[in-house]
Amino acid sequence: MKKLLILVVAALLAISASAQTLSSPDGNLVMTFALTQKGTPTYTLSYKGQEVIRPSALGFEFVDNAYENYGTYYHTPKRPIYSMREGFTLQETASATFDEVWKPVWGENAEIRNHYNELLVKLCRKERNFMLNIRFRLYNDGLGFRYEFPWQANKKLSYFVIREEYTEFAMTGDHTAYWIPGCYETQEYEYAVSRMSEIDDRIVEVGKNVGNAMQKIFSPTGVQTSLQLKTDDGLYINIHEAALVDYSCMHLELNPDTNVFTSHLTPDALGYKGWMQAPCHTPWRTIEVSDDACKILASNLILNLNDPCAYEDTSWIKPIKYIGIWWELMLGKSRWYYTAEFKKKGVKLGENDYTKVTPLPNHGANNANVRRYIDFAAKHGFDQVLVEGWNEGWEDYYGCRKDYVFDFQTPYPDFDIKALNEYAHSKGVRLMMHHETSSSVRNYERHMERAYSMMNDYGYNAVKSGYVGGIIPNGEYHSGQYMVNHYLYAVKEAAKHRIMVNAHEAIRPTGLCRTYPNLIGNESARGMEYCTNEDAGIKPHHAATLPFTRLKGGPMDYTPGILNMKFAGQTPRKDKARRCVRSTICNQLALYVTLFSPLQMAADLPENYENQPAAFQFIKDVAVDWDESRYLAAEPAEYIVAARRTKGKNEWFVGGITDNERTMPISFDFLEKGKNYIATLYKDGKDADCDNNPHAYTVVSGRIDSRSALKIWMAHGGGFAISIREATTADSKVKPLK
Ligand code: NOJ
Ligand code: CA
């Protein structure tokens, strides 16, 4: 890590309510802090002289004397409130500038610049002498701020309970919003695009069709972060949080009369929102701003606001391209569970003898099938094979709210864990572990150490975990403080075993992968699996929204690479027309570039890849870790074109996706000047259409250099993908790409 300059200027100011101003290093963003006459802290933000955030209040409500009357307190639903929303005086301010370049373990770029100006405001609420600091960091791409609670002179005040955080984001108008409903349980919604004022009317419809997830929508005008907004003047504003640790997840609630979003924290089982002990701080509240949508996608604000890597040795953390016994389960071709007998008889798990029952003919994780996938992975160069449904318990896992379902260690009789791992390793492949927790968190923590140790014994180094169903302990939510702590606990415990984690149904990421890079992926959004659900599906704009929203905090295990879009008739379930992937083949290929992740699945069935060898070649070739990334064109929910240079190689991949049909001009000026390259372009066929003709595509190759330019047509729900390598002397006769 290279520190270029650290300059700290501390200034002791006379107690005053006068505004403090902070500018971004390039001067485009200006933040002001001020106390109102009533002593309420407020901030504003402007970009190139244009107002972005109107005066917005900052503050909290605490539960009054939370730790008094210990015995009765917890059961008293309405405790008196201690307001932290006014009555503050300014004690002191300090400003600083920071500039460094750091290298992520994996990522979109080999180096990231972390350059900001900082203002620390020290406040005191005189009435009880409660000290509150607010730290603002202003970057060229946005603002981050957090509340800090220093050690309180009155020790009793150092323990406090948050009833609500009241951070306002006052918008200047009724902007276009790219949103999903504010929900304590899941993010698996399809993104909606509407005016802020229309959220209220649309929330019931948008809140439908969340397949395997619990739901708790908290307000008709509540939305989740990361929230993307666009003003009528073409300004892009993105609100999220960074470094969510030991605190509950922040949602936003809109007041449609004033266009003000206010923070809304996820409650715990008692209805409270944060159990705190000073010194401590909240996560960062972030506001990215730009007049260029590509710059929103390229922003590193969230990563920069997270702490540096916590691990000394990261040599065991490796990007992964994988296949798995998964899509066939989603399609209903095979089953996670081993037998139908226990369910019928209602026998309790843990008391079962699996060797005495008849297995289903289509239990997916059987020895022969796993070997077939290992062979396929070895033949085509994949790193890992995910196997779901390998362990006892699946007969009773869904929706039962049972404390003890899985032990994460006992394989079904037809899954020879030792032999299969040995077979995989002999072919240069690893198996990927799967831990569906059924959201019984206590049970998972109870078994975690043994489960991770067993992974070490057999040579697994990555786990896909999952949190389907309601959280146990009952009453806790997926996005509350309790679960936020659990997800991170699992990642840190995994690191002790040199294990990488890809958690599904977990809290949406907030950049913690910088600090804990073994958090190599998350789902935490609506992924490809929804295309197999006849009532749900995914419309083409969704994947062009994710990089502006869910991916702000970290990579997503979206599971792209479906090459057979219409799977009607493949399964015993009733076919419905909607049960298909609304995407052309080239759109699927491009997702490997537009949706950054160091963990990428080729999700389709091996036979579907064998039927489409030309398109499959791109999936085999595309990298998953990068030295350089450029966003060439973007508009939320409409299109994204990204170009990325492979880690350690002069080789590029370009991907473009679109919602509706459009022609995209591409200039290759990102290539090194004076060098010749060979490009292979995968483009939508002439009549391609995600609904009517998804499988039409053509592949053309030719020479390009940094002066080349193309116009590429993309179909409705379509896209294009390009792989680019340096030309050699053997390529001297290759014609220019047209
Ligand atoms: C939901 C996950 O998103 C999916 O990938 C997984 O297969 C199922 N849960 C079962 O764990
Ligand atoms: Ca899921």
Side-chain angles (χ1 to χ4, degrees):
M1 189 184 295
K2 200 166 64 177
K3 287 196 181 159
L4 298 177
L5 174 72
I6 303 177
L7 171 72
V8 179
V9 186
L12 248 180
L13 297 178
I15 295 173
S16 119
S18 64
Q20 311 291 312
T21 302
L22 181 67
S23 299
S24 58
D26 65 4
N28 284 340
L29 281 165
V30 177
M31 196 280 307
T32 57
F33 171 84
L35 281 177
T36 64
Q37 281 191 337
K38 282 183 158 181
T40 299
T42 64
Y43 75 103
T44 64
L45 186 65
S46 66
Y47 177 74
K48 295 183 180 171
Q50 187 184 343
E51 191 175 44
V52 178
I53 303 285
R54 293 184 288 117
S56 296
L58 301 165
F60 291 88
E61 277 174 4
F62 291 171
V63 179
D64 200 17
N65 294 323
Y67 288 87
E68 279 179 6
N69 304 322
Y70 194 79
T72 54
Y73 162 69
Y74 298 101
H75 307 288
T76 314
K78 289 215 168 139
R79 294 285 301 181
I81 295 162
Y82 179 58
S83 173
M84 292 280 287
R85 303 180 75 175
E86 55 184 43
F88 286 100
T89 53
L90 183 63
Q91 301 296 293
E92 193 181 329
T93 64
S95 47
T97 294
F98 188 78
D99 193 353
E100 68 166 9
V101 174
W102 60 278
K103 292 184 166 63
V105 174
W106 44 258
E108 296 188 81
N109 293 286
E111 295 191 331
I112 294 175
R113 186 173 180 193
N114 184 6
H115 185 198
Y116 60 82
N117 292 330
E118 179 175 285
L119 174 71
L120 176 64
V121 179
K122 297 190 173 180
L123 304 170
C124 179
R125 196 159 187 282
K126 279 284 175 219
E127 179 242 332
R128 283 190 199 170
N129 240 1
F130 192 95
M131 312 300 291
L132 171 69
N133 298 343
I134 307 176
R135 191 180 296 273
F136 297 92
R137 287 187 179 163
L138 199 49
Y139 294 75
N140 291 343
D141 47 353
L143 171 69
F145 60 90
R146 71 181 184 190
Y147 303 90
E148 298 180 350
F149 305 98
W151 174 251
Q152 305 291 323
N154 176 351
K155 183 171 166 251
K156 256 171 62 182
L157 294 179
S158 279
Y159 297 86
F160 58 96
V161 177
I162 293 174
R163 201 173 162 280
E164 190 57 277
E165 175 184 324
Y166 290 97
T167 300
E168 290 181 351
F169 304 86
M171 296 296 135
T172 57
D174 185 12
H175 306 327
T176 301
Y178 306 79
W179 59 277
I180 53 174
C183 176
Y184 299 154
E185 295 281 35
T186 186
Q187 310 87 23
E188 294 186 5
Y189 298 96
E190 185 170 80
Y191 276 91
V193 183
S194 77
R195 290 280 172 181
M196 284 157 42
S197 57
E198 291 163 351
I199 292 172
D200 196 350
D201 297 332
R202 302 253 335 253
I203 202 157
V204 173
E205 161 219 332
V206 178
K208 281 185 187 155
N209 299 333
V210 177
N212 57 17
M214 299 290 292
Q215 280 185 269
K216 177 85 179 174
I217 294 177
F218 69 86
S219 152
T221 60
V223 293
Q224 304 202 30
T225 72
S226 150
L227 172 68
Q228 180 64 48
L229 299 161
K230 187 180 179 187
T231 70
D232 289 348
D233 302 335
L235 209 59
Y236 300 88
I237 304 166
N238 189 289
I239 304 174
H240 193 34
E241 63 180 316
L244 171 55
V245 177
D246 198 9
Y247 200 78
S248 94
C249 166
M250 178 183 76
H251 308 282
L252 301 173
E253 188 167 22
L254 175 70
N255 179 339
D257 299 330
T258 58
N259 292 327
V260 175
F261 288 103
T262 304
S263 56
H264 176 103
L265 301 180
T266 307
D268 66 10
L270 296 172
Y272 302 124
K273 303 204 165 183
W275 297 77
M276 312 291 286
Q277 182 188 354
C280 59
H281 54 75
T282 68
W284 296 94
R285 279 62 188 96
T286 62
I287 308 169
E288 290 173 14
V289 188
S290 181
D291 47 18
D292 178 350
C294 290
K295 289 199 175 140
I296 295 281
L297 296 181
S299 168
N300 286 307
L301 181 79
I302 307 271
L303 287 178
N304 277 330
L305 286 166
N306 275 270
D307 286 341
C309 182
Y311 311 138
E312 240 165 63
D313 175 14
T314 55
S315 59
W316 50 278
I317 299 171
K318 305 243 187 282
I320 299 169
K321 208 193 283 182
Y322 75 106
I323 58 166
I325 297 186
W326 182 70
W327 195 242
E328 61 172 73
L329 298 165
M330 296 307 304
L331 293 175
K333 287 188 84 179
S334 65
R335 298 293 180 203
W336 279 271
Y337 55 98
Y338 178 75
T339 178
E341 288 183 20
F342 296 152
K343 218 163 196 170
K344 280 187 210 146
K345 290 181 196 159
V347 177
K348 281 196 181 152
L349 292 164
E351 296 169 5
N352 298 327
D353 184 351
Y354 279 91
T355 60
K356 294 204 176 113
V357 295
T358 317
L360 288 169
N362 63 342
H363 172 234
N366 68 71
N367 290 320
N369 203 25
V370 178
R371 280 174 187 259
R372 183 169 75 91
Y373 275 81
I374 293 170
D375 291 343
F376 185 82
K379 181 171 166 198
H380 296 289
F382 289 94
D383 304 305
Q384 303 214 356
V385 176
L386 166 73
V387 184
E388 297 200 6
W390 66 276
N391 56 326
E392 289 187 1
W394 286 89
E395 287 75 12
D396 211 6
Y397 108 99
Y398 189 63
C400 313
R401 272 203 186 252
K402 282 181 57 164
D403 177 87
Y404 199 125
V405 177
F406 298 106
D407 72 4
F408 311 95
Q409 290 154 92
T410 311
Y412 282 132
D414 60 350
F415 181 84
D416 187 338
I417 189 165
K418 183 166 183 291
L420 289 170
N421 276 285
E422 284 169 4
Y423 183 67
H425 299 162
S426 76
K427 298 203 146 202
V429 172
R430 280 182 200 259
L431 296 187
M432 187 184 290
M433 177 48 81
H434 184 232
H435 289 165
E436 174 53 62
T437 67
S438 65
S439 285
S440 182
V441 177
R442 190 173 82 98
N443 188 47
Y444 190 34
E445 290 189 359
R446 194 191 263 148
H447 290 97
M448 193 178 276
E449 172 57 28
R450 273 173 291 154
Y452 288 163
S453 294
M454 189 184 84
M455 286 176 62
N456 290 152
D457 294 344
Y458 290 115
Y460 290 89
N461 70 353
V463 59
K464 170 182 170 181
S465 55
Y467 295 84
V468 170
I471 301 294
I472 301 174
N474 287 327
E476 294 297 338
Y477 294 115
H478 279 76
S479 58
Q481 186 182 17
Y482 177 88
M483 285 304 293
V484 164
N485 288 346
H486 165 79
Y487 301 125
L488 188 54
Y489 173 75
V491 171
K492 288 187 192 173
E493 289 300 301
K496 292 180 189 163
H497 293 266
R498 299 184 145 225
I499 288 169
M500 293 173 272
V501 176
N502 164 29
H504 280 220
E505 295 87 33
I507 188 73
R508 81 281 189 280
T510 56
L512 286 169
C513 56
R514 175 181 178 189
T515 314
Y516 308 100
N518 65 317
L519 178 55
I520 196 152
N522 272 122
E523 182 191 41
S524 311
R526 193 186 197 85
M528 195 68 77
E529 64 183 25
Y530 274 82
C531 298
T532 64
N533 180 329
E534 52 252 59
D535 298 320
I538 295 182
K539 290 197 268 302
H541 74 280
H542 182 73
T545 312
L546 288 169
F548 286 95
T549 50
R550 158 63 184 79
L551 269 69
K552 281 275 132 211
M556 176 173 177
D557 187 25
Y558 186 75
T559 65
I562 304 303
L563 300 187
N564 178 14
M565 313 301 168
K566 306 223 171 198
F567 22 84
Q570 279 191 348
T571 90
R573 289 195 221 165
K574 266 192 246 147
D575 174 45
K576 296 260 172 78
R578 287 159 79 188
R579 220 169 150 241
C580 64
V581 177
R582 298 189 62 196
S583 168
T584 65
I585 282 188
C586 290
N587 176 285
Q588 287 290 309
L589 302 183
L591 293 175
Y592 287 92
V593 188
T594 59
L595 294 174
F596 163 69
S597 178
L599 171 93
Q600 289 280 21
M601 185 175 204
D604 210 339
L605 308 176
E607 49 270 38
N608 291 337
Y609 290 131
E610 263 149 11
N611 287 339
Q612 295 282 8
F616 186 39
Q617 191 59 46
F618 183 84
I619 298 176
K620 294 202 287 185
D621 293 342
V622 69
V624 292
D625 196 13
W626 312 96
D627 270 340
E628 188 182 347
S629 292
R630 307 260 187 117
Y631 290 94
L632 307 182
E635 184 61 25
E638 292 183 19
Y639 57 86
I640 293 176
V641 182
R644 305 188 193 272
R645 184 159 55 83
T646 304
K647 180 139 259 165
K649 285 189 185 168
N650 192 11
E651 166 192 276
W652 288 80
F653 293 89
V654 184
I657 58 167
T658 184
D659 59 344
N660 291 316
E661 187 186 344
R662 71 181 79 238
T663 298
M664 185 63 67
I666 304 290
S667 140
F668 292 90
D669 55 6
F670 53 86
L671 295 174
E672 214 176 307
K673 289 192 178 53
K675 282 205 164 145
N676 279 313
Y677 293 83
I678 303 298
T680 305
L681 167 64
Y682 303 73
K683 55 180 181 175
D684 287 332
K686 209 161 39 66
D687 306 315
D689 178 285
C690 68
D691 293 327
N692 304 318
N693 191 11
H695 300 129
Y697 71 103
T698 53
V699 186
V700 285
S701 283
R703 191 164 36 80
I704 57 166
D705 60 32
S706 63
R707 295 161 307 176
S708 304
L710 286 180
K711 284 196 173 138
I712 305 176
W713 176 79
M714 296 188 277
H716 167 220
F720 67 89
I722 316 176
S723 56
I724 304 172
R725 63 168 174 82
E726 255 190 77
T728 65
T729 45
D731 299 311
S732 58
K733 296 210 173 105
V734 178
K735 300 231 164 71
L737 181 67
K738 284 202 185 117

